[in-house]
Amino acid sequence: MVEQAIEISPEDIFGLIAFSGDAKASYHAALHLLRENKIEEAEAEVVKGDSILKEAHAIQTKFVTLEAQGKSAKVGVLMVHAQDHLMNTILVKELLDHMMTMQKEINNLKGMN
């Protein structure tokens, strides 16, 4: 079976970087808001970040699907950089729930409820 080559566009690469960065910024904003005991606003930032992260994940899924179909792409440093941004944002998201729970407990202990 001969593999077909696919082109990874700069738009997709920079989309991954931008969406990942925007989602991560929302997650950080959520933590800062929670430190001020602004729970509803913090939770809204998480929802916003999740929505943005889905956009980044859709780009990644497109390339994973194409590769699973036997199509390959030449991966350059920019694509590696974009994937790095995405994976870091996913890690922030994974830790966010635990951090928000801890911050709520801290706020409670400080009498901020």
Side-chain angles (χ1 to χ4, degrees):
M1 179 171 158
V2 177
E3 284 191 359
Q4 294 177 313
I6 57 171
E7 181 78 22
I8 298 177
S9 72
E11 291 82 12
D12 282 333
I13 291 171
F14 290 111
L16 271 174
I17 293 169
F19 286 133
S20 297
D22 290 347
K24 188 168 24 173
S26 286
Y27 297 145
H28 284 285
L31 286 173
H32 288 288
L33 286 163
L34 194 55
R35 289 180 72 191
E36 297 171 7
N37 208 37
K38 297 179 180 177
I39 296 170
E40 289 180 15
E41 294 96 328
E43 290 172 350
E45 282 293 334
V46 172
V47 169
K48 178 182 169 186
D50 289 348
S51 176
I52 297 168
L53 185 58
K54 284 180 185 176
E55 296 293 327
H57 197 257
I59 294 169
Q60 181 189 47
T61 299
K62 175 173 76 172
F63 292 112
V64 170
T65 301
L66 288 169
E67 188 165 320
Q69 294 171 350
K71 301 169 186 168
S72 64
K74 180 179 175 187
V75 176
V77 173
L78 276 178
M79 185 59 175
V80 171
H81 180 67
Q83 283 293 123
D84 185 44
H85 273 276
L86 178 59
M87 296 313 298
N88 279 316
T89 300
I90 291 169
L91 179 59
V92 168
K93 170 63 180 151
E94 289 172 352
L95 294 174
L96 181 67
D97 183 53
H98 300 293
M99 294 172 74
M100 288 185 73
T101 298
M102 288 187 296
Q103 188 61 52
K104 286 176 184 176
E105 289 173 2
I106 291 167
N107 291 357
N108 208 11
L109 289 170
K110 287 182 171 181
M112 295 175 72
N113 47 359

